[in-house]
């Protein structure tokens, strides 16, 4: 269930910066600013030991991620089950998921003070749990598994060559496709690869899994929205296909003939801090993902 709740005042915060001098220096400056307001903090690089990162996040009231969307998504993937709320400070390009501007841009002090004083909201989001499974003897073994914040993509590993995939939903074979690939995304990730492939922009509150075929040659269907609890199964069906699995734009894991990718949604796993409950709609416009027609400029 998706929900928005008031947050508590922040007493301890983890400052997590991407591996770059500018956000690292900003994190140190923020540490002094927080200390002057009675808030303890710890500064860690996003590439630090995952065990240390998780322990520090679990002991904190919030995690401020200094980086772009990629850094924030990577932190969310690592920390999602801990449920300490995350908020981003934009040291990337688009910064669709980041709430605060970089220190050098100004206008960060007032919203950060509101966060510290507990005046923002805590918003929960759906994540995806995935597993690659392979038949061994009379049973199945799990080769790899993990969590996705944006999307799980199965696509060809060779340029301009389609792949054959069977898509089953809740145990029912839904489609046998010859296509460039399949995207299963969260609502939060619907503005990424899903939107580029013609999928719908989806409000994060919907708790849906969105399945979008990529350039289907046969067996295609319109983008499909499924309840979070749906069980999705994707199987590679041709011996000579080179199918790769990408998670949030990373990893590129091989999916061999007969391997099965299983995906299901997990509600209430990722918590983020938001100052505006309508941030998603506003940011679609502010970041240029949705553009207004010429009449809007003239008030028509």
């Amino acid at each position: 269930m998706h929900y928005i709740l008031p947050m508590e005042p922040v007493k301890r915060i983890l400052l997590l910066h991407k591996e770059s001098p500018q956000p690292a220096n900003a994190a140190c400056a923020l540490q002094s600013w927080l200390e002057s307001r009675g808030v303890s903090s710890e500064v860690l690089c996003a590439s630090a030991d995952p065990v240390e990162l998780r322990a520090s996040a679990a002991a904190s009231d919030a995690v401020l991620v200094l980086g772009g969307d990629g850094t924030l998504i990577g932190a969310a993937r690592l920390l999602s089950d801990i449920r300490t709320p995350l908020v981003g400070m934009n040291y990337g390009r688009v910064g669709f998921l980041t709430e605060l501007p970089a220190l050098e841009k100004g206008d960060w002090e007032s919203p950060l003070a509101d966060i510290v004083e507990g005046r923002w909201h805590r918003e929960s989001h759906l994540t995806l749990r995935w597993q690659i499974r392979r038949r061994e003897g009379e049973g199945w073994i799990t080769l790899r598994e993990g969590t996705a914040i944006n999307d799980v993509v199965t696509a060809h590993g060779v340029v301009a060559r389609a792949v054959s995939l069977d898509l089953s939903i809740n145990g029912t074979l839904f489609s046998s496709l010859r296509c460039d690939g399949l995207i299963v995304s969260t609502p939060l990730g619907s503005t990424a690869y899903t939107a580029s492939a013609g999928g719908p922009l989806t409000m994060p509150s919907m708790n849906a899994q969105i399945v979008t075929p990529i350039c289907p040659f046969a067996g295609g269907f319109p983008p499909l929205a499924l309840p979070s609890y749906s069980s999705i199964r994707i199987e590679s069906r041709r011996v000579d296909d080179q199918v790769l699995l990408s998670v949030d734009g990373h990893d590129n894991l091989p999916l061999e003939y007969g391997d099965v990718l299983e995906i299901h949604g997990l509600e209430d796993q990722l918590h983020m801090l938001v100052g505006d409950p309508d941030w998603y709609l506003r940011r679609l416009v502010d970041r240029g993902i949705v553009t207004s027609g010429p009449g809007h400029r003239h008030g028509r």
Side-chain angles (χ1 to χ4, degrees):
M1 179 178 181
H2 177 275
Y3 62 82
I4 297 180
L5 291 175
M7 62 176 291
E8 297 293 328
V10 173
K11 300 300 183 184
R12 185 180 190 277
I13 190 167
L14 170 61
L15 302 170
L16 192 62
H17 64 84
K18 73 175 182 179
E19 199 168 354
S20 180
Q22 194 173 25
N25 293 335
C28 292
L30 284 173
Q31 193 169 36
S32 299
W33 184 90
L34 290 164
E35 183 180 355
S36 69
R37 284 156 179 80
V39 179
S40 65
S41 62
E42 181 177 5
V43 174
L44 290 175
C45 180
S47 60
D49 176 60
V51 175
E52 183 182 6
L53 289 179
R54 287 175 61 83
S56 182
S60 300
D61 300 315
V63 178
L64 175 58
V65 181
L66 292 84
D69 287 341
T71 307
L72 183 61
I73 289 168
R77 193 164 51 242
L78 177 66
L79 305 175
S80 62
D81 60 322
I82 294 177
R83 302 185 185 181
T84 300
L86 280 67
V87 63
M89 178 172 275
N90 189 20
Y91 280 90
R93 286 172 293 180
V94 178
F96 185 80
L97 299 176
T98 53
E99 287 275 344
L100 301 176
L103 259 66
E104 296 77 12
K105 302 290 185 181
D107 298 328
W108 59 269
E109 195 163 351
S110 178
L112 187 54
D114 285 342
I115 290 173
V116 166
E117 293 166 17
R119 289 199 286 262
W120 276 31
H121 297 276
R122 183 183 181 116
E123 185 178 73
S124 72
H125 294 278
L126 175 87
T127 63
L128 300 176
R129 187 66 184 172
W130 60 269
Q131 291 183 321
I132 299 177
R133 295 173 61 79
R134 179 175 296 171
R135 185 176 295 279
E136 186 173 277
E138 298 297 319
W140 293 81
I141 61 170
T142 299
L143 300 178
R144 297 286 295 271
E145 60 184 334
T147 298
I149 305 301
N150 268 358
D151 51 38
V152 176
V153 180
T154 45
H156 56 67
V158 178
V159 175
R161 180 169 180 174
V163 293
S164 293
L165 302 170
D166 278 355
L167 169 65
S168 297
I169 300 169
N170 296 335
T172 298
L173 179 61
F174 182 76
S175 181
S176 294
L177 297 104
R178 188 71 179 162
C179 58
D180 281 0
L182 273 173
I183 308 168
V184 181
S185 79
T186 64
L188 202 62
S190 66
T191 56
Y193 198 178
T194 289
S196 299
L201 298 174
T202 309
M203 291 292 291
S205 60
M206 293 188 67
N207 266 337
Q209 300 181 80
I210 302 104
V211 184
T212 306
I214 308 170
C215 299
F217 173 74
F221 54 88
L224 179 67
L226 297 170
S228 60
Y229 54 78
S230 301
S231 175
I232 298 171
R233 178 184 169 110
I234 299 170
E235 185 172 358
S236 175
R237 298 304 300 156
R238 284 183 55 152
V239 175
D240 57 346
D241 280 348
Q242 294 183 23
V243 184
L244 294 179
L245 167 66
S246 173
V247 179
D248 292 337
H250 295 281
D251 296 331
N252 290 330
L253 306 171
L255 196 69
E256 297 182 5
Y257 170 71
D259 285 354
V260 170
L261 172 63
E262 296 180 350
I263 305 167
H264 64 275
L266 294 175
E267 297 182 8
D268 190 30
Q269 290 295 297
L270 169 61
H271 288 210
M272 297 180 68
L273 296 178
V274 296
D276 176 8
D278 291 324
W279 68 270
Y280 183 81
L281 295 173
R282 298 184 194 282
R283 212 160 295 164
L284 288 173
V285 177
D286 292 344
R287 300 298 192 268
I289 295 172
V290 173
T291 56
S292 300
H296 177 75
R297 179 175 297 176
H298 301 289
R300 297 175 183 172

